[in-house]
Amino acid sequence: LSPGNYTFIVRAGNSIEYSNSDAYYRFKVYDRAPDSPKNLRTSTGSMLFNTAESITFLWDASELATDYYVYLWDDDIGVQLYAIDNGTNLSYTQAPLSPGNYTFIVRAGNSIEYSNSDAYYRFKVCEAENLGYDFYAFIEHQSTGLLMTNQSDNIAGEAASGSNRQIWHFIRQSNGSYAIISSYDDSCMDVLGYSLDNGANVYSYSGGYLGQPNQQFYIYQAYGAYYFIPVHANGTMTFDMDSYTCNLQIWSIGAGWDTQKFNINKIAYLDNSLPCNIGEDFYAFIEHQSTGLLMTNQNSNIAGEAASGSSTQIWHFIRQSNGSYAIISAYDDSCMDVCGSSLDNGANVLSYSGGYLGQSNQQFYIYQAYGAYYFIPAHANGSKALDMSLSTHNLEIWGIGADWEPQKFNIQKTTYPTVDVNSVNFTIGEVSAAPGSDISVDFCIDGEYEASALTVYISYDADKLTLNSINQGQVWNDMLNLNANIMSYTSVAGSIRFIAIVPTAYFSTSGTIFTMNFHVKENVAIGTDIPLEIDIREFFVSPIGGTEAQIPYAVTNGVIHVNCLPGDVNGDGVVNSMDIIIIMRYALGINNLNASQLIAADYNGDGQVNASDALMMMRISLGIA
């Protein structure tokens, strides 16, 4: 019954009549408590809002409710912010809030009492992040570690590959959102067809950035991660990586859902370049650009020091299959290593005595950006760079700063061992020859040294040169006098290999080690330069009872300039009577010849130009000789 006062009456009767009096029962019906509010929600369906948004809460009517009270709690500090009688209204609009975690509560009531339970809605208010106005970054799915990858239209999570398909260019817009452009092909991240459906595809639009709201994304920091909110979705949807296909899509925001939580790992990146390939295997100094200090192995620690010529400042760069570099100290084969795989700002970079173990904290991508080289540890996924403290000069890692002085380095390649001021010099030098001629070239050593061993490879172009023989020089002979073990190999075309070991003494002679006798092949074109390259594999002193020590040296490679035909003094490509006349006039002192002409005019190869050369040319042209 509805609320009121009532009487219930019972009268008995038979065939004669009813009873003289009736039985009655008077009672009262009171109001009961209303049902709890049902289906509390926001007008957008979101649980995540920005500091500029008003939030409208809605709920369904409760039976017997005559009014509704609304409450707001600040969950971060545990304080009730307000309690308001909302009358019979089934909605309430909350003004924009500052960042934080909140709970909105609705209670139904009537004249009897309030409902036994309340409806509540937990939500988060974030300020759209300003991470910078123009930067490059990886977008990492937090729980799986996969990087969002441009798959030519589709975007999906893939393992880190070093490809610029995984590098995204963030450009902040005037409304505080970001356009996100692929560094691979300048396509733009785009919610397909302005869709607001759960599971709608996020793809890389080949037409580029058009300034549309489905190509703009607010970035919120919430639940320990970054959330990407499409502008056209009005806060209702966010990026979500499908757990099965790893495809990037949008979905209604869930509080703390793993599928929607991402990291943004900034990197130093410029002009759509990939990490540098500056060689497969080489030695170099690592110079801090602004101070000129060289990264120095200080027996485990690494710090900047003034150039000293020591091998503690020389690093061996070995490129890995993922495009990164292992960086090994030439001093003791220790390996550059981020201590403990740390990602903390200021974490130490040391020279690990255990050597290279193939770990990601021992691998460094090298980027060329802002006029310098940046070293990015592989384990940091692009979030950190090598950084030299400007106060202590210690080498450490720090979050990447665009065009930031402590992180800018030069790489100065060098031969190893290092070249000192008073180093030993290995030289071949430059000689000239003609096609079809024989030429002798000396391989020499010069400087003050004492050595126990020398291993050298000299390479030449076997398509252009034939090695006739090598002759022992004075240095070779002195080694033999010291009971050296010497081996030479010339059977492999294009290579001369020389190994000398003096077991009980030291060789120290300057002069010719050996002379190489080549034949220049007839088909070599005039103007060709044929290099002779020196590769010193070993050059050290090993004192008896002591430790092996590398000897500093420098090399000067040789070259054979093929610049004339024998007898073609005037350079017209043929040998004839005109050339004989020029030689005779030179022999008589009538005219002069330049260096190249003198080589061509020395027809008999005796080192002089005279009538004998003209006579030989004449006899050959007449068929007499």
Side-chain angles (χ1 to χ4, degrees):
L1 294 170
S2 59
N5 297 295
Y6 296 90
T7 300
F8 183 80
I9 302 172
V10 178
R11 176 179 289 180
N14 59 19
S15 58
I16 303 300
E17 61 181 326
Y18 289 101
S19 58
N20 292 328
S21 61
D22 303 326
Y24 61 89
Y25 192 92
R26 290 192 174 96
F27 63 96
K28 189 178 187 71
V29 175
Y30 292 93
D31 284 348
R32 64 172 173 80
D35 296 330
S36 298
K38 299 292 192 299
N39 194 23
L40 177 58
R41 61 200 182 273
T42 63
S43 60
T44 62
S46 181
M47 304 174 75
L48 195 63
F49 301 91
N50 68 47
T51 54
E53 287 183 272
S54 295
I55 308 168
T56 298
F57 296 93
L58 307 168
W59 57 93
D60 296 342
S62 299
E63 188 178 2
L64 300 183
T66 58
D67 61 351
Y68 298 92
Y69 274 84
V70 295
Y71 308 83
L72 183 68
W73 279 80
D74 186 324
D75 296 337
D76 293 330
I77 57 177
V79 172
Q80 179 178 291
L81 300 181
Y82 59 70
I84 298 173
D85 185 347
N86 202 48
T88 58
N89 295 318
L90 299 178
S91 67
Y92 180 81
T93 298
Q94 169 63 51
L97 293 165
S98 58
N101 296 287
Y102 298 90
T103 300
F104 182 79
I105 301 170
V106 179
R107 176 176 291 180
N110 59 22
S111 60
I112 302 300
E113 60 182 322
Y114 291 106
S115 56
N116 290 328
S117 62
D118 304 327
Y120 62 89
Y121 195 93
R122 292 196 173 96
F123 63 99
K124 181 181 284 288
V125 176
C126 303
E127 191 164 14
E129 295 289 326
N130 180 355
L131 302 176
Y133 285 86
D134 191 321
F135 63 91
Y136 293 85
F138 299 112
I139 303 173
E140 178 190 33
H141 187 246
Q142 192 176 84
S143 62
T144 66
L146 299 179
L147 301 184
M148 293 302 102
T149 305
N150 178 359
Q151 297 179 337
S152 297
D153 284 347
N154 192 46
I155 299 173
E158 293 183 4
S161 65
S163 168
N164 63 348
R165 289 178 180 268
Q166 297 181 331
I167 298 174
W168 299 92
H169 187 188
F170 287 66
I171 304 172
R172 197 162 195 258
Q173 306 302 299
S174 58
N175 62 0
S177 69
Y178 284 90
I180 307 176
I181 313 297
S182 172
S183 293
Y184 171 66
D185 59 6
D186 292 326
S187 58
C188 181
M189 206 170 270
D190 183 300
V191 178
L192 183 63
Y194 279 80
S195 177
L196 292 176
D197 295 334
N198 281 335
N201 195 38
V202 180
Y203 76 116
S204 51
Y205 174 63
S206 60
Y209 180 57
L210 305 178
Q212 300 170 169
N214 64 323
Q215 296 180 328
Q216 298 175 339
F217 304 92
Y218 292 114
I219 299 174
Y220 294 154
Q221 196 166 21
Y223 310 112
Y226 287 108
Y227 282 68
F228 291 76
I229 313 298
V231 169
H232 80 286
N234 292 319
T236 62
M237 316 292 282
T238 188
F239 281 3
D240 184 298
M241 193 188 81
D242 185 273
S243 300
Y244 300 101
T245 66
C246 298
N247 282 341
L248 190 62
Q249 55 193 19
I250 59 170
W251 208 274
S252 298
I253 296 171
W257 285 8
D258 281 346
T259 54
Q260 298 177 350
K261 297 168 76 174
F262 295 88
N263 298 326
I264 297 174
N265 301 324
K266 289 186 179 182
I267 61 171
Y269 188 80
L270 192 66
D271 296 334
N272 295 332
S273 61
L274 288 170
C276 296
N277 178 355
I278 53 178
E280 298 296 323
D281 190 322
F282 61 90
Y283 291 87
F285 300 104
I286 303 173
E287 180 191 36
H288 187 247
Q289 192 174 85
S290 63
T291 65
L293 299 179
L294 301 183
M295 292 303 101
T296 305
N297 176 359
Q298 298 178 335
N299 292 318
S300 78
N301 191 49
I302 301 174
E305 294 184 4
S308 66
S310 168
S311 60
T312 60
Q313 297 182 330
I314 297 179
W315 300 91
H316 186 188
F317 287 66
I318 304 173
R319 196 164 193 260
Q320 306 302 299
S321 58
N322 62 0
S324 69
Y325 283 89
I327 306 177
I328 313 296
S329 172
Y331 171 66
D332 59 5
D333 292 326
S334 59
C335 181
M336 194 172 284
D337 181 301
V338 178
C339 185
S341 297
S342 176
L343 290 175
D344 295 336
N345 283 335
N348 195 40
V349 179
L350 53 85
S351 51
Y352 175 64
S353 60
Y356 179 59
L357 304 178
Q359 299 171 172
S360 59
N361 64 318
Q362 296 181 328
Q363 298 175 340
F364 301 88
Y365 292 105
I366 299 175
Y367 284 86
Q368 196 165 21
Y370 311 111
Y373 287 108
Y374 280 65
F375 291 76
I376 313 300
H379 80 288
N381 289 324
S383 63
K384 307 289 182 179
L386 293 190
D387 183 299
M388 192 193 82
S389 168
L390 295 180
S391 56
T392 67
H393 301 153
N394 203 47
L395 190 61
E396 50 199 29
I397 62 169
W398 212 272
I400 293 173
D403 204 12
W404 196 12
E405 184 179 334
Q407 299 179 349
K408 298 171 73 173
F409 294 89
N410 298 326
I411 296 174
Q412 300 174 347
K413 290 185 178 182
T414 184
T415 55
Y416 180 71
T418 183
V419 179
D420 288 338
V421 174
N422 297 316
S423 63
V424 178
N425 293 289
F426 290 94
T427 60
I428 293 178
E430 300 184 34
V431 295
S432 295
S437 66
D438 293 326
I439 188 73
S440 295
V441 187
D442 293 333
F443 171 51
C444 300
I445 183 172
D446 179 65
E448 295 183 5
Y449 68 96
E450 289 184 340
S452 301
L454 171 64
T455 299
V456 60
Y457 288 14
I458 295 177
S459 59
Y460 61 92
D461 189 342
D463 292 332
K464 297 180 175 66
L465 299 175
T466 300
L467 179 65
N468 294 328
S469 62
I470 63 172
N471 298 332
Q472 296 175 199
Q474 183 60 49
V475 178
W476 188 326
N477 291 330
D478 287 351
M479 290 176 178
L480 291 175
N481 291 333
L482 295 170
N483 297 316
N485 297 313
I486 296 179
M487 295 166 281
S488 62
Y489 303 92
T490 60
S491 59
V492 177
S495 177
I496 301 168
R497 302 180 184 184
F498 176 85
I499 302 170
I501 300 173
V502 180
T504 59
Y506 311 127
F507 61 93
S508 58
T509 308
S510 292
T512 300
I513 301 174
F514 54 80
T515 299
M516 300 165 282
N517 302 306
F518 292 105
H519 174 74
V520 181
K521 295 184 178 181
E522 285 75 3
N523 61 353
V524 178
I526 298 295
T528 300
D529 287 340
I530 307 173
L532 303 172
E533 296 184 347
I534 303 168
D535 180 5
I536 305 296
R537 299 297 179 90
E538 291 182 311
F539 185 47
F540 62 83
V541 62
S542 184
I544 296 173
T547 58
E548 178 183 303
Q550 300 291 333
I551 301 172
Y553 66 88
V555 298
T556 302
N557 292 317
V559 63
I560 299 174
H561 301 291
V562 182
N563 52 14
C564 60
L565 285 168
D568 182 18
V569 185
N570 63 5
D572 62 1
V574 295
V575 178
N576 53 28
S577 59
M578 294 300 297
D579 300 297
I580 296 172
I581 293 171
I582 293 172
I583 293 173
M584 289 299 298
R585 289 175 64 84
Y586 175 79
L588 295 171
I590 299 173
N591 61 0
N592 294 318
L593 299 178
N594 60 33
S596 189
Q597 288 173 322
L598 286 171
I599 293 171
D602 183 15
Y603 198 72
N604 62 10
D606 65 357
Q608 301 178 8
V609 177
N610 51 34
S612 296
D613 299 294
L615 180 60
M616 179 178 283
M617 292 171 63
M618 187 180 300
R619 289 169 65 85
I620 289 175
S621 67
L622 294 173
I624 299 173

